Amino acid sequence: MSRSTTRVPAPVNAHSHAFHRILRGRTHQGADGGAGNFWTWREQMYEAAAGLDPAGYQQLATAVFAEMVVSGWSAVGEFHYLHHDVDGARYAGEHEHGMELALARAAKAAGIRLVLLDTCYLQGGLDASGTVLELNETQRRFSDGDVAGWLERHGSLAAALADVDAGEGLVSLGAAIHSVRAVPPTALEQIAAGLDPALPLHVHLSEQPAENESCQAAYGLSPTGLLERSGLLAQRLSAVHATHLSEADIAALGAARAGIVMCPSTEADLGDGIGPARELADAGAVIALGSDQHAVLDPYLEQRALEHGERLRSGQRGRFSPAEISAAARAGGLRSLGLAENDDHLEVRTDSLRTSGSRAVQLPLTATAADVVEVHINGQLVARNGIHTRLGDPADLYQAFFERYPEFS
C-alpha cells in the first residue's frame, strides 16, 4: 500500500548543546536521589563536560546530528563552549581547534547544516549578592582567559572550519556569549566593538530568576538591560530561552527585532518555566526553536510545545497559528543562524495514525518525527524512514559510543 505524503520545508534547530545528549534519561532525579532543579542538573552536566576529548566528542556528535537529521532537522546552531583540554590547557598546534573540528566533521558526516556558535565564557558566574565567582575545575576548559583571547581564537576558527567544509556549504561560523553570568560588562562591550557585525550572535538570557537577581545585584540592570547598555541588543542577536522577562525587557527585545530561541522541551524538562513567546512576537521579536539539551529530538514536538505552553499559561487556544508555528521552526531558525533560504525539505506522512484526517497546515499540531519519511538537505537524500542513508540507524551510533566510553553509561 503506497503512503500519502506532503512536502514541507525542513525545520531548523537554532539551539543545541550536543554533549548534553549524554544526560538523556539520567537526570530525572538529583545526584542524591532528590527531585533536583536546574542548578542540580547543571552539576550533572559539568560531569559530562569534564570527560570528553575530540575523538569522543566527534563520535557522540555524529550520533546526535544523525538523530537530528532522521528526525527532520536540517540545520543546527551548536552553542559550543567545550573549547580546551580537560585541564583547561589550549590544544596545541594542528590540534588547536580539536573540539570545534570534531563538531564540524560530525556535521559533515551526518549531512546537516552546522552553524558553530563559538562561545565566550570567562567567569564562573555570579552569586546572589552579585559577587563574581571564579571558574570551577570544569569551567576552565570553557574559557580563553579574557575576551581578547576568545576573539583571537574565534578569528582563526573560520579558516579551519572552511577546510573541513571543503566548499559544500554545510559548515559556517557564528558566535555566542554564554550569559551575563559568564561574561562581564567590560567584555560585553569589547565583543560589541570587536566581533564581525555580520555574524549571528547568541546568548542564554534570563533562563532562571536567580540569573536576573544576581545580575541586578551586580550591575543594577536586568540581563536584557545590560546587553542593551553594552551595545549588543540588535537584530543579529538571538536570546535563548528568554523565560523570565519584565515588560521593559520584552519591549527592548522587540524594538531591537532580536531573535528569541525557545526550547520548549528543555524548558519543561529543567523546570525553567514558560516564557512570554506571544508577547515577544507581538513586540517585534522573531521566534525560533531549538532542542537545547536533547531530552527530545523531534521538531514537531518542539512546535507543538510552543503553542501548548502558551495555552497553559494563558488559558486560551490558538495563541500561535499553525502558520506561525511553522515559521518559528523554519524561517525564524534560518534568520537566527544567518542562513539563506534553501530547498531543504521533508516528506511527511499524512495518513499515519497520528496525521490521518489532519489538515495539511495543522500537521505541526499532530505529526511527530515518526511521520518523517524522507529528509533532503543540500540537494541530498540523507534519511529515509528513520534511518540515515550513510550512517544507518542512529541508535547503533549511540550504542557504539556508550560501549567505547562506558564512563558515560
Side-chain angles (χ1 to χ4, degrees), residues 225-239:
L226 183 58
L227 293 174
E228 185 173 34
R229 190 184 74 180
S230 302
L232 289 167
L233 210 57
Q235 187 168 319
R236 65 99 167 244
L237 183 75
S238 288

Side-chain angles (χ1 to χ4, degrees), residues 17-373:
H17 300 289
F19 79 92
H20 287 191
R21 172 59 180 82
I22 291 171
L23 302 175
R24 185 189 293 175
R26 302 176 62 82
T27 61
H28 181 69
Q29 292 181 306
D32 61 356
N37 56 27
F38 170 85
W39 304 102
T40 55
W41 169 88
R42 189 176 70 155
E43 295 305 312
Q44 295 170 292
M45 180 269 287
Y46 284 156
E47 291 179 15
L52 284 168
D53 60 12
Y57 204 13
Q58 182 171 335
Q59 185 173 3
L60 173 63
T62 300
V64 174
F65 293 154
E67 184 186 3
M68 283 186 197
V69 165
V70 304
S71 300
W73 297 108
S74 62
V76 58
E78 181 63 29
F79 199 109
H80 168 68
Y81 49 84
L82 293 183
H83 301 307
H84 306 302
D85 208 342
V86 292
D87 61 358
R90 193 163 176 166
Y91 288 108
E94 64 184 75
H95 303 293
E96 177 185 11
H97 299 299
M99 296 297 274
E100 292 75 30
L101 296 183
L103 290 165
R105 292 178 182 126
K108 281 289 295 292
I112 196 169
R113 296 186 192 274
L114 169 71
V115 180
L116 186 69
L117 300 166
D118 192 81
T119 303
C120 185
Y121 197 125
L122 301 177
Q123 62 190 29
L126 300 168
D127 69 12
S129 69
T131 301
V132 173
L133 303 175
E134 295 295 319
L135 295 164
N136 66 31
E137 184 176 349
T138 300
Q139 289 170 324
R140 284 199 292 270
R141 78 179 306 191
F142 307 163
S143 177
D144 292 293
D146 55 30
V147 71
W150 176 71
L151 285 168
E152 180 274 323
R153 187 183 53 75
H154 185 276
S156 68
L157 183 53
L161 294 179
D163 287 343
V164 174
D165 185 61
E168 287 193 35
L170 286 177
V171 179
S172 59
L173 179 63
I177 295 160
H178 181 271
S179 61
V180 299
R181 291 181 288 111
V183 180
T186 53
L188 295 175
E189 293 165 4
Q190 289 176 275
I191 291 169
L195 185 68
D196 181 351
L199 292 178
L201 178 65
H202 287 219
V203 60
H204 291 128
L205 186 76
S206 294
E207 184 176 4
Q208 290 286 320
E211 176 185 332
N212 293 347
E213 294 159 6
S214 62
C215 185
Q216 188 71 40
Y219 310 124
L221 292 166
S222 70
T224 299
L226 183 58
L227 293 174
E228 185 173 34
R229 190 184 74 180
S230 302
L232 289 167
L233 210 57
Q235 187 168 319
R236 65 99 167 244
L237 183 75
S238 288
V240 181
H241 303 303
T243 307
H244 302 281
L245 301 178
S246 68
E247 291 184 2
D249 293 334
I250 293 169
L253 289 161
R257 294 280 295 155
I260 304 294
V261 185
M262 296 289 183
C263 304
S265 65
T266 288
E267 288 145 10
D269 184 71
L270 297 183
D272 287 344
I274 301 170
R278 183 69 265 172
E279 290 87 342
L280 284 159
D282 289 344
V286 178
I287 307 298
L289 294 172
S291 64
D292 195 356
Q293 61 145 339
H294 319 310
V296 172
L297 265 175
D298 187 323
Y300 283 107
L301 294 185
E302 299 294 350
Q303 290 174 75
R304 189 133 71 247
L306 174 67
E307 168 64 13
H308 285 179
E310 283 293 311
R311 294 180 186 187
L312 287 169
R313 74 183 187 90
S314 71
Q316 297 177 337
R317 304 180 79 230
R319 295 277 286 176
F320 285 94
S321 70
E324 288 177 307
I325 297 169
S326 296
R330 171 70 178 179
L334 290 172
R335 180 186 185 272
S336 175
L337 298 181
L339 294 173
E341 185 56 70
N342 55 58
D343 190 44
D344 299 346
H345 64 276
L346 312 178
E347 292 290 336
V348 180
R349 283 192 67 178
T350 57
D351 61 355
S352 75
L353 57 87
R354 291 162 295 276
T355 62
S356 185
S358 296
R359 294 173 177 165
V361 72
Q362 295 195 29
L363 283 174
L365 297 168
T366 59
T368 72
D371 297 306
V372 175
V373 177

